[in-house]
Amino acid sequence: MTHITFDYTHAKSFFDENRFQAEASRVHAIHQTLHDRHADVEGYKGWVHLPHTYEREEFTKIKRVANNIQNDSDVLLVIGVGGSYLGARAAIEMLHHNFRDLLCEEARKTPHIIFVGHNMSSTYISQVKDVLQDKDFSINVISKSGTTTEPAIAFRIFKEILIEKYGVKEARRRTYITTDKEKGALRKLAEEEGNETFIIPNDIGGRYSVLTAVGLLPMAVSGIDIDQVMAGAHQAFEELHEASMDNIAYQYAMIRYLLHEEGKTVELLVNYEPNMQSFSKWWQQLFGESEGKNKQGIFPVYATFPTDLHSIGQYIQDGRKDLFETIIQIDESVEQITVPYQEENIDELNYIADKTIHTINEKIVSGATLAHVDGDIPNMAIHVPKLDAYTFGYLVYFFQKACAMSGYLHNVNPFDQPGVEAYKKNMFALLGKPGFEQQKEMLEKRLKEFVPQLVASKMN
Ligand code: PA5
């Protein structure tokens, strides 16, 4: 049996099961393309063999540097966006205490991890500056291209603060750069300033890079056992290696594809653990950026139940029927908390007295699943034994494998993201980047037509 299990009992009646086997030869061909290292046409399949082939020397360096940061910093500032931050955040939130940052230093043991560079909110950035004032901190700036605007701006701001606090030499020592081996502004800077660097292999794209230094260094600094992360990923690599319809990653990909063919164009990833929200965001980027192109793809959204049953539950039950659900269900509970018995029973809850919270949660899962299936919402479940570093590594690899298969089933390249460039070009033009003059004029004219007052006030 595989480490995680996949159950699509409650999706079966929504697609033609004959298609499932009929598509097996396509799955087989895609599998060969993914695994054939020589057929690396897109140049982005390094993640497929990574759990087996990862650089052991780099891995040891990650642990050594993480240890140094733990010893000399109260805070690690992780600067990055998209695939250069979501995976690390997913792991850190999923595997640590929900209220980690409120725990005393003795209980927490390792530095706070603060993420910047994924937004351009002056409120957020100035609040990060506030909390850094009396703290020792280091920076891990992560960007494969080394040119992404939002993290580059954040780096400029916080590098200056680091220099003010420690002087140039020590600031350089406290700046850790994760980037391409040869290319980009960050590589150039590291060469000039002599910072410690980590490599993002050039055959691994941003959203497939969490099991490289991109994710592993922040995880290790936070105290996550990265040996366990890689061990879990390795088990997934071995268990999900077969070019067969018994491979659960391919089952998940195929059912998504067949449901999409039946008009189910939105996937809701459901979890029952509040500390899995960042993991859901990581999943959302993985599938959204990999699949949404050529007017194709399933729109990935996520929810935490039962919280969101009381917000979008009504829509799921009775709204448009273009949705299917994938639940991540944790089978083992960490703490056995029970509902206390009360003699007066004013709230009439004695019928569940002595039941564990975990049991109650399981009943909510079953109740919601059956209600949604009755409401024409297909449902798949991914059963996870428990939330630990090993399972995190396994889940990452499972979803990456499923996502690549799913992209190819939809006839798109799951490793590029040409659509992200459109907003960047507009932003460069509107900010006045040299070379974008003509576009600036055009965009400002368009904006003026739509919101004359706003543009007029900004241009004065
Ligand atoms: O998946 C991707 O490739 C993207 O989401 C990138 O990770 C994101 O745009 C950040 O890019 P970079 O690491 O070059 O700054």
Side-chain angles (χ1 to χ4, degrees):
M1 199 161 94
T2 46
H3 180 66
I4 66 172
T5 52
F6 177 62
D7 178 5
Y8 61 96
T9 315
H10 296 300
K12 276 185 177 161
S13 58
F14 293 89
F15 62 87
D16 177 1
E17 274 208 77
N18 295 325
R19 292 271 322 271
F20 191 78
Q21 285 307 334
E23 297 279 353
S25 60
R26 247 184 109 202
V27 167
H28 194 272
I30 297 169
H31 172 90
Q32 296 307 332
T33 312
L34 281 176
H35 277 264
D36 182 353
R37 292 189 222 191
H38 302 295
D40 201 358
V41 272
E42 292 87 8
Y44 281 112
K45 294 187 314 216
W47 59 271
V48 175
H49 294 93
L50 185 74
H52 192 55
T53 58
Y54 66 93
E55 271 286 331
R56 291 339 193 240
E57 230 175 87
E58 174 98 341
F59 193 75
T60 308
K61 186 165 100 178
I62 291 172
K63 291 204 256 184
R64 176 177 53 75
V65 167
N67 199 264
N68 292 346
I69 297 173
Q70 286 171 346
N71 289 330
D72 68 15
S73 303
D74 304 312
V75 174
L76 174 67
L77 214 54
V78 178
I79 304 180
V81 70
S84 286
Y85 106 102
L86 282 164
R89 187 170 197 159
I92 290 165
E93 290 184 10
M94 178 170 162
L95 301 174
H96 286 294
H97 197 290
N98 267 295
F99 304 100
R100 175 172 194 265
D101 288 319
L102 290 178
L103 293 173
C104 66
E105 208 180 318
E106 218 177 26
R108 187 173 31 84
K109 294 192 185 83
T110 54
H112 297 278
I113 311 290
I114 297 181
F115 294 91
V116 288
H118 58 286
N119 63 51
M120 278 293 105
S121 155
S122 43
T123 306
Y124 183 95
I125 293 172
S126 72
Q127 289 173 354
V128 173
K129 284 170 76 175
D130 288 345
V131 296
L132 286 180
Q133 263 175 17
D134 58 344
K135 302 273 190 300
D136 275 311
F137 74 103
S138 297
I139 291 177
N140 177 203
V141 55
I142 309 172
S143 175
K144 186 168 181 192
S145 61
T147 53
T148 309
T149 310
E150 295 88 339
I153 294 170
F155 184 41
R156 197 183 256 225
I157 292 169
F158 287 102
K159 185 180 169 190
E160 212 169 271
I161 297 171
L162 199 66
I163 292 173
E164 263 166 38
K165 192 167 186 128
Y166 297 104
V168 172
K169 196 168 162 222
E170 176 65 1
R172 285 180 180 171
R173 195 192 63 76
R174 285 176 174 268
T175 302
Y176 302 92
I177 295 180
T178 308
T179 191
D180 187 86
K181 193 175 177 183
E182 287 156 1
K183 296 190 297 267
L186 280 179
R187 173 57 56 190
K188 196 164 156 239
L189 181 91
E191 274 160 18
E192 272 169 27
E193 302 200 341
N195 314 94
E196 186 84 76
T197 62
F198 296 91
I199 293 167
I200 310 175
N202 58 9
D203 59 354
I204 300 183
R207 58 191 174 276
Y208 292 84
S209 70
V210 51
L211 301 176
T212 70
V214 169
L216 295 178
L217 180 61
M219 282 186 226
V221 173
S222 81
I224 291 172
D225 183 342
I226 59 172
D227 283 303
Q228 281 299 304
V229 171
M230 293 313 286
H234 192 264
Q235 188 178 345
F237 166 76
E238 295 209 312
E239 289 182 355
L240 309 176
H241 204 83
E242 292 302 313
S244 107
M245 292 314 293
D246 292 335
N247 182 329
I248 58 170
Y250 297 164
Q251 287 181 0
Y252 171 53
M254 177 56 80
I255 294 168
R256 293 177 83 250
Y257 172 70
L258 295 176
L259 290 174
H260 180 257
E261 299 251 294
E262 297 295 328
K264 305 290 184 187
T265 55
V266 180
E267 178 176 15
L268 183 68
L269 185 78
V270 175
N271 64 70
Y272 282 78
E273 292 294 333
N275 63 354
M276 285 191 74
Q277 285 186 37
S278 284
F279 185 81
S280 304
K281 258 184 195 291
W282 169 83
W283 166 91
Q284 183 179 50
Q285 187 217 359
L286 181 67
F287 280 87
E289 221 169 60
S290 299
E291 231 173 48
K293 44 200 82 154
N294 302 345
K295 303 192 169 46
Q296 292 289 315
I298 294 164
F299 187 68
V301 287
Y302 59 87
T304 303
F305 285 180
T307 318
D308 295 324
L309 285 173
H310 296 263
S311 61
I312 53 170
Q314 170 61 37
Y315 187 100
I316 297 167
Q317 192 69 45
D318 290 336
R320 287 171 66 96
K321 297 299 159 196
D322 50 5
L323 192 76
F324 65 93
E325 286 177 338
T326 303
I327 301 176
I328 301 185
Q329 203 174 331
I330 318 299
D331 290 335
E332 184 192 287
S333 74
V334 182
E335 285 236 19
Q336 293 301 337
I337 300 170
T338 54
V339 177
Y341 177 83
Q342 280 176 359
E343 197 56 53
E344 58 277 28
N345 196 25
I346 294 169
D347 52 14
E348 298 180 3
L349 287 180
N350 276 354
Y351 78 102
I352 47 169
D354 295 331
K355 284 209 186 326
T356 66
I357 294 294
H358 186 68
T359 305
I360 295 168
N361 198 44
E362 279 178 341
K363 301 298 173 209
I364 298 174
V365 176
S366 307
T369 301
L370 293 178
H372 293 174
V373 170
D374 291 343
D376 265 344
I377 305 295
N379 190 292
M380 301 184 264
I382 295 164
H383 285 266
V384 166
K386 58 180 170 181
L387 285 188
D388 57 12
Y390 192 90
T391 300
F392 176 82
Y394 194 107
L395 271 179
V396 162
Y397 193 83
F398 167 81
F399 279 121
Q400 289 180 342
K401 201 77 190 282
C403 181
M405 173 58 70
S406 186
Y408 281 127
L409 285 170
H410 281 93
N411 283 321
V412 297
N413 172 3
F415 304 121
D416 65 0
Q417 56 282 333
V420 184
E421 292 310 307
Y423 105 88
K424 287 189 190 168
K425 282 186 193 138
N426 286 354
M427 171 183 70
F428 291 146
L430 291 169
L431 285 171
K433 188 170 177 170
F436 289 81
E437 293 74 8
Q438 222 180 336
Q439 204 172 341
K440 177 177 166 68
E441 202 181 308
M442 233 164 56
L443 290 175
E444 281 178 349
K445 195 161 158 265
R446 276 177 63 196
L447 284 172
K448 214 170 190 171
E449 280 160 15
F450 288 122
V451 271
Q453 308 88 330
L454 181 76
V455 176
S457 70
K458 290 262 185 283
M459 290 199 315
N460 291 333

